[in-house]
Amino acid sequence: MIKIVKVPLQLEPFLDKFRDLFTKPSYGSFRDLCGALSVCDKSKTVSNLCDTMADCSKGKKSRSSYNWFISDANWDENEVAQRKVDLFIDSLCLKENDKLLLIIDDTYNEKEGNQTDGVGKFYDHSKEAYIWGNNFVTSVVQSKGLFIPHKAKMYIKNDDENENFKTKMEIAFEEIIKPLVVPKSIDLYIVFDSWWFSSDLFSKCLKLGHNIVCQIKSDKKVGINKDMYFQVRDLANQIEDKFFIKTTVSVRGKKKTYYAFEKKVIIDKVGEVKLVISKRKKDSTTKYIISTNGSLSLKEILSIYEDRWDIETAHREANQKLGFKDYQLRDKHSIERFIQMVFSVWTAILLWEIDNPPPKDGSKSRTMGDMVDRVKMQAVGETFEFVMTYFNLPVPDGGLLYILKSLGMKI
């Protein structure tokens, strides 16, 4: 296991911007745990994170202190989530009328036993099977092709003991969409798939001044005027192929071609929206996407909806590289705090990469996995340098830079 003697170089300036959200001792715990999360190559339990910190680490605490920080310390993970968004917006230099996407979805984490809050039987559509575990409503903030995980809020099924039951729709709006603060000059779009379609959710988002781009199901009724309503698939069947426009959009560094048709329609209890009917090929499965901003072009709507996939990437890479689902905690609040620290590490690494881009030598952009591996290598170099200094061994000319290159790291 990699042992760290201090917070990796890439994280420290970012984490320092959260100092005012904690007491001095709590900030030390937040900093230490985030540092350990970035390099720990075992399951990200509190025990393993604590073991990742070398005994000579400055300010290292006992495992019980870190447990207390996650479960009982006085800090607000929602403030941490908002600060991440503020820093992300600043880093991208978003200006008036730039688009910011808030992508909503949910994800599952298989867990055995019933000692953890929220564990129950859920149908996982990705596996087409029932699982036993936790279910989280999640969000990602995206702009200019870059994204950060925003929040993960646990959904707990309704039963006699759950007095504060919230549906997933209520969690999405009350705990994720409504609290998010962005500059008024930026256009915020809420993006989700057809499962989340709800006229009530639409109404609440529109009252906040936000726009929505989402998919709707084929049996959803849309009106071409106030007296004529059709199921959207029936409307699509009336449109001749010659009216579908061939459109190409950039999707995660690749080009995708669609055949698409656009029309303004009415949805009951929502009002007028722009409908895009799209196919990858003229004979392929049809998708129905709507935008509450009727001024968006067909291409813009397709591009925004394609960006919804970024939340799937966030789920996968945050889990594989940063232990999003490694928690061994029991109560809902502690689990959500742990996940927010994981999301903070992701954001710290991404923003460091934005400020320190790779050379333009034709090589592919680094994935989050590549970025995390880079941080780990950096930590190994820092540990080598510390050990050499500690034992009064001569540090090679070039110091840490030389050590990292010797270890095979591309600087």
Side-chain angles (χ1 to χ4, degrees):
M1 178 188 289
I2 298 172
K3 293 275 189 177
I4 59 171
V5 293
K6 61 179 181 178
V7 176
L9 176 68
Q10 292 94 327
L11 272 65
E12 197 159 18
F14 172 85
L15 296 178
D16 193 57
K17 294 175 182 177
F18 293 78
R19 191 183 292 269
D20 63 306
L21 302 182
F22 301 91
T23 63
K24 185 175 180 179
S26 287
Y27 173 71
S29 297
F30 173 74
R31 178 200 60 212
D32 293 348
L33 289 169
C34 286
L37 278 165
S38 70
V39 301
C40 180
D41 49 13
K42 291 186 176 181
S43 176
K44 308 297 194 294
T45 64
V46 176
S47 177
N48 285 339
L49 293 177
C50 196
D51 288 345
T52 300
M53 305 171 208
D55 290 337
C56 57
S57 298
K58 183 179 178 181
K60 179 181 177 180
K61 304 174 184 178
S62 66
R63 189 176 78 184
S64 61
S65 294
Y66 293 116
N67 274 317
W68 180 87
F69 167 75
I70 294 173
S71 61
D72 296 314
N74 183 23
W75 61 282
D76 187 345
E77 69 277 8
N78 296 303
E79 290 183 347
V80 173
Q82 179 63 51
R83 183 65 56 85
K84 296 200 328 280
V85 174
D86 295 341
L87 295 171
F88 181 66
I89 290 172
D90 288 345
S91 184
L92 293 183
C93 301
L94 297 187
K95 55 185 184 296
E96 188 173 358
N97 298 326
D98 278 343
K99 296 182 183 68
L100 185 72
L101 311 185
L102 178 63
I103 306 166
I104 304 291
D105 203 356
D106 70 337
T107 189
Y108 299 93
N109 185 25
E110 293 191 54
K111 285 284 181 183
E112 296 180 357
N114 56 5
Q115 298 301 309
T116 302
D117 282 353
V119 168
K121 188 177 181 181
F122 297 97
Y123 186 78
D124 186 343
H125 292 274
S126 65
K127 295 184 176 181
E128 297 184 342
Y130 282 96
I131 63 144
W132 189 259
N134 285 130
N135 185 200
F136 296 94
V137 179
T138 56
S139 56
V140 156
V141 173
Q142 194 262 23
S143 188
K144 296 184 177 181
L146 299 172
F147 59 92
I148 60 169
H150 174 228
K151 286 185 179 180
K153 294 295 182 180
M154 186 185 292
Y155 167 71
I156 300 179
K157 287 186 173 183
N158 193 14
D159 58 37
D160 293 338
E161 297 180 2
N162 186 6
E163 298 177 355
N164 300 312
F165 171 74
K166 291 182 181 180
T167 66
K168 286 195 272 191
M169 297 283 187
E170 289 170 336
I171 292 171
F173 181 74
E174 294 174 15
E175 300 188 37
I176 296 176
I177 298 170
K178 186 178 179 181
L180 179 62
V181 179
V182 300
K184 291 182 179 180
S185 60
I186 293 174
D187 295 332
L188 181 65
Y189 286 81
I190 315 300
V191 184
F192 45 81
D193 66 20
S194 60
W195 187 91
W196 295 88
F197 178 86
S198 158
S199 57
D200 181 59
L201 181 59
F202 259 68
S203 176
K204 289 176 178 177
C205 290
L206 292 173
K207 284 181 180 178
L208 292 176
H210 305 328
N211 280 297
I212 297 171
V213 171
C214 77
Q215 187 176 353
I216 58 173
K217 293 180 180 178
S218 62
D219 60 356
K220 184 65 184 174
K221 287 191 174 183
V222 297
I224 57 175
N225 59 49
K226 65 179 181 179
D227 298 318
M228 297 183 65
Y229 277 77
F230 302 88
Q231 287 188 335
V232 69
R233 63 184 171 217
D234 294 334
L235 177 63
N237 289 336
Q238 296 177 31
I239 302 167
E240 297 179 30
D241 283 349
K242 65 181 181 181
F243 293 113
F244 281 79
I245 301 169
K246 186 176 180 180
T247 306
T248 301
V249 297
S250 295
V251 180
R252 294 172 292 281
K254 299 180 180 179
K255 300 287 186 181
K256 272 191 176 183
T257 299
Y258 287 92
Y259 293 89
F261 174 86
E262 63 179 334
K263 183 177 181 59
K264 289 189 177 180
V265 298
I266 301 167
I267 293 182
D268 190 34
K269 297 181 182 179
V270 172
E272 186 178 83
V273 299
K274 180 176 279 191
L275 168 68
V276 172
I277 302 170
S278 73
K279 307 175 184 181
R280 288 298 311 280
K281 298 178 181 177
K282 288 189 177 181
D283 58 351
S284 67
T285 302
T286 305
K287 287 185 178 181
Y288 311 97
I289 304 164
I290 58 173
S291 167
T292 56
N293 182 354
S295 67
L296 290 182
S297 68
L298 180 152
K299 188 171 184 176
E300 285 176 312
I301 293 170
L302 288 173
S303 180
I304 289 173
Y305 189 72
E306 275 289 352
D307 285 336
R308 194 201 70 81
W309 188 257
D310 287 338
I311 197 165
E312 306 291 349
T313 303
H315 291 162
R316 183 183 68 251
E317 294 203 2
N319 186 40
Q320 290 178 351
K321 289 295 183 177
L322 295 171
F324 162 31
K325 298 179 181 179
D326 280 355
Y327 59 84
Q328 289 188 5
L329 302 159
R330 291 188 176 182
D331 69 277
K332 174 181 180 290
H333 191 208
S334 298
I335 292 168
E336 291 176 352
R337 283 181 160 191
F338 172 85
I339 293 172
Q340 191 54 238
M341 285 192 290
V342 171
F343 290 176
S344 296
V345 173
W346 174 302
T347 307
I349 295 171
L350 177 66
L351 298 194
W352 192 90
E353 292 281 336
I354 292 173
D355 291 339
N356 299 271
K360 295 181 179 179
D361 56 4
S363 57
K364 292 182 179 179
S365 299
R366 286 192 283 263
T367 65
M368 178 52 62
D370 296 333
M371 297 177 199
V372 173
D373 290 341
R374 182 179 172 89
V375 172
K376 288 182 178 180
M377 188 66 75
Q378 173 87 27
V380 171
E382 290 173 347
T383 300
F384 266 86
E385 186 177 44
F386 175 86
V387 170
M388 295 174 79
T389 303
Y390 184 84
F391 288 104
N392 294 317
L393 297 174
V395 178
D397 292 341
L400 179 59
L401 186 64
Y402 174 86
I403 294 170
L404 293 175
K405 287 183 176 179
S406 300
L407 292 169
M409 182 174 180
K410 293 182 180 181
I411 307 300

